[in-house]
Amino acid sequence: MSAINAAPITATDSLSQALKANIIPNQEYLLQGSVLDSAVEVLLHRLRGLCDNVDAGPETFDDQEVCFSLRDPSQQAVPLMLRVRKALDARDMPYQLRYIGQPDLGDKNRPTVVRSSLDIACSGMLIEFLNELGCRIEFEYSVKGYMFRKGRMKITVAKVFKISQSSMPPEPISQSYLVELSVLAPQGQDAIGEDMRAFADQLRPLVQLDKIDYKRLGHMAVT
């Protein structure tokens, strides 16, 4: 009888329980690199031999991503950055809202970059909702490529394009493909970084996947 009269469990309660149990995959472990257009087919062939979905072949994707910022009116806080991604090759797929935290490079012995990451599937009204909140578009681009799986690891090989404001086809931003090796996992599973580094070593010398410090690159570009 007491169970029947107990208060229903709310979504907030469920989320709190999941956080306490540390089962929410809110940490992204990441390695990045690039490969020239002339060498990408060799890398794809190597990945087909190493990854799990070798029989069916890699998944393909063609997405557009828009980065929004939500700024503090007092200009004292760091702007909140949100990313919206939609599939251009599967219009019925939900929009993806993503928050990515600042990368934690950790000590030099840590094998990967670690950053907070939260992904939420949303309806097509998402962009209008963000505009109503006061979010501002910072930049946008499209990305087209291949996705492989190796256990929990996800490997993408993708071409990044500028968004054309006219009827002209998208223009690639470089003569290379972006290669990313990532894992989403709950906090405290740093051992996955060693598995990622071991896998990345199998792709050398075709591509060198490393921790990328974008702040350091930005300072180098300024100087």
Side-chain angles (χ1 to χ4, degrees), residues 10-29 99 114-120 152 183-190:
T10 66
T12 303
D13 294 333
S14 299
L15 179 60
S16 298
Q17 292 174 7
L19 287 170
K20 291 179 180 178
N22 197 29
I23 61 174
I24 295 179
N26 59 356
Q27 295 284 305
E28 182 180 42
Y29 298 81
Y99 164 76
V114 181
R115 61 187 185 182
S116 299
S117 178
L118 294 173
D119 295 85
I120 306 170
R152 291 194 295 171
V183 172
L184 282 175
Q187 291 182 348
Q189 297 195 12
D190 291 349

Side-chain angles (χ1 to χ4, degrees), residues 78-141:
V78 176
L80 174 67
M81 307 300 291
L82 298 170
R83 296 172 182 264
V84 176
R85 180 173 285 209
K86 65 177 180 179
L88 300 177
D89 55 351
R91 299 286 181 174
D92 57 336
M93 293 292 290
Y95 282 51
Q96 182 188 42
L97 175 64
R98 191 177 199 200
Y99 164 76
I100 299 176
Q102 292 295 320
D104 178 11
L105 298 174
D107 59 57
K108 294 181 179 180
N109 295 324
R110 175 177 285 173
T112 70
V113 170
V114 181
R115 61 187 185 182
S116 299
S117 178
L118 294 173
D119 295 85
I120 306 170
C122 301
S123 71
M125 299 296 293
L126 175 59
I127 291 180
E128 289 81 355
F129 175 72
L130 292 176
N131 287 330
E132 289 295 327
L133 285 179
C135 294
R136 185 178 69 183
I137 295 178
E138 295 291 337
F139 58 86
E140 59 182 322
Y141 60 89

Side-chain angles (χ1 to χ4, degrees), residues 6-221:
I9 297 177
T10 66
T12 303
D13 294 333
S14 299
L15 179 60
S16 298
Q17 292 174 7
L19 287 170
K20 291 179 180 178
N22 197 29
I23 61 174
I24 295 179
N26 59 356
Q27 295 284 305
E28 182 180 42
Y29 298 81
L30 179 68
L31 292 172
Q32 294 174 303
S34 64
V35 61
L36 292 174
D37 292 353
S38 58
V40 70
E41 287 299 329
V42 180
L43 175 62
L44 293 175
H45 180 75
R46 183 66 178 272
L47 286 168
R48 289 187 187 100
L50 292 173
C51 294
D52 297 334
N53 49 347
V54 59
D55 295 331
E59 298 178 43
T60 59
F61 60 90
D62 185 2
D63 297 342
Q64 180 178 347
E65 184 162 302
V66 184
C67 182
F68 289 85
S69 66
L70 182 60
R71 299 181 180 275
D72 180 13
S74 65
Q75 301 293 325
Q76 295 181 354
V78 176
L80 174 67
M81 307 300 291
L82 298 170
R83 296 172 182 264
V84 176
R85 180 173 285 209
K86 65 177 180 179
L88 300 177
D89 55 351
R91 299 286 181 174
D92 57 336
M93 293 292 290
Y95 282 51
Q96 182 188 42
L97 175 64
R98 191 177 199 200
Y99 164 76
I100 299 176
Q102 292 295 320
D104 178 11
L105 298 174
D107 59 57
K108 294 181 179 180
N109 295 324
R110 175 177 285 173
T112 70
V113 170
V114 181
R115 61 187 185 182
S116 299
S117 178
L118 294 173
D119 295 85
I120 306 170
C122 301
S123 71
M125 299 296 293
L126 175 59
I127 291 180
E128 289 81 355
F129 175 72
L130 292 176
N131 287 330
E132 289 295 327
L133 285 179
C135 294
R136 185 178 69 183
I137 295 178
E138 295 291 337
F139 58 86
E140 59 182 322
Y141 60 89
S142 62
V143 57
K144 185 176 183 179
Y146 307 90
M147 182 175 69
F148 298 83
R149 296 281 185 180
K150 180 66 174 179
R152 291 194 295 171
M153 292 182 282
K154 180 176 76 172
I155 306 96
T156 58
V157 182
K159 194 77 170 175
V160 182
F161 297 87
K162 297 178 182 178
I163 299 294
S164 176
Q165 302 301 323
S166 63
S167 58
M168 298 294 292
E171 177 186 352
I173 65 170
S174 70
Q175 296 180 341
S176 62
Y177 281 72
L178 173 66
V179 184
E180 293 187 324
L181 170 60
S182 63
V183 172
L184 282 175
Q187 291 182 348
Q189 297 195 12
D190 291 349
I192 189 64
E194 298 296 339
D195 296 334
M196 293 172 62
R197 174 54 63 191
F199 183 83
D201 288 343
Q202 296 182 65
L203 299 179
R204 292 184 177 185
L206 299 176
V207 61
Q208 183 170 334
L209 298 175
D210 280 319
K211 299 189 294 183
I212 305 298
D213 186 351
Y214 287 101
K215 287 186 177 180
R216 182 169 177 268
L217 289 177
H219 292 320
M220 291 173 63

